[in-house]
Amino acid sequence: MHTNMDPNVRRRGSGAGLRGLAYLFGVLSIILMIIWLLHFRGSIEYDSQNPAPMMAYRTVPAEMRVKKIIHMLLHIIAIVMGIIGLCAVFRYHNMINLGDMYSLHSWIGLTTFILYCLQWLVGFLVFMVGRSSVTKERMIGWHMVAGRALLFMSICAALTGLMEKAQFLGLKYQHEARLVNFLGLSILLFGVFVDLSIVYGRYI
């Protein structure tokens, strides 16, 4: 006997599946990062990549105002982590007498972080403080597009950082090199499924 499933139910199921894959690869990335840093490198570094705020609108069962506040607070946490990470990087470079801002990774990373802060500031002024509904309607599309662009810029920063670190350490065929490769793939797939879940929820 054939029954037609409600399209809305199918969409919700597909959206939940995409979000589940995003969280799966996100958790896998964290686990691989911890294994790499603790087992092979002996310490933990801080990173500013945090797409969780983008997922807040799809996963938090709350009113829109509450979702906005959670979205904003998660971004603040990401900015604080980014500042700590940048300070740690510059301090480490000074300790080993290594130059700053010479690599593609550093260019992408710092540019992404600056734009990330500007994105948060504009979003706060327009959507949290601003009163004009017309301005909000005009800006929401640009805000979402900029957020997705920053997501993939952060992914690029992370992947180029992994490549730079692997080259600096001379990793090729060791177990550590394979772990770094799997970590890079996990980060990439994490970003892909985060973006797909957002697009699916918005347009499909």
Side-chain angles (χ1 to χ4, degrees), residues 19-143:
R19 291 192 296 271
L21 287 171
Y23 282 117
L24 172 64
F25 284 109
V27 172
L28 179 60
S29 298
I30 293 173
I31 293 173
L32 291 176
M33 178 69 77
I34 292 174
I35 293 174
W36 180 39
L37 295 178
L38 292 182
H39 182 70
F40 291 100
R41 298 291 104 206
S43 64
I44 292 181
E45 300 172 356
Y46 295 96
D47 195 281
S48 62
Q49 319 309 327
N50 183 17
M54 300 179 69
M55 302 287 287
Y57 283 108
R58 305 300 173 201
T59 57
V60 178
E63 296 179 356
M64 183 58 67
R65 180 70 179 179
V66 176
K67 290 183 179 182
K68 285 184 178 180
I69 294 174
I70 294 174
H71 183 74
M72 180 189 68
L73 292 177
L74 288 174
H75 277 303
I76 291 177
I77 294 173
I79 290 173
V80 172
M81 292 175 64
I83 293 173
I84 294 173
L86 287 173
C87 291
V89 168
F90 285 116
R91 182 180 179 183
Y92 175 72
H93 283 189
N94 290 334
M95 288 175 58
I96 64 174
N97 295 320
L98 184 65
D100 297 316
M101 303 304 299
Y102 64 89
S103 65
L104 178 63
H105 164 66
S106 61
W107 289 13
I108 295 175
L110 188 59
T111 301
T112 301
F113 184 72
I114 292 172
L115 293 177
Y116 188 92
C117 293
L118 291 175
Q119 166 85 341
W120 182 90
L121 180 61
V122 172
F124 176 76
L125 294 176
V126 172
F127 300 106
M128 295 299 295
V129 179
R131 301 286 184 179
S132 174
S133 58
V134 175
T135 302
K136 291 180 180 180
E137 290 179 2
R138 289 177 178 176
M139 290 296 296
I140 185 63
W142 289 105
H143 185 71

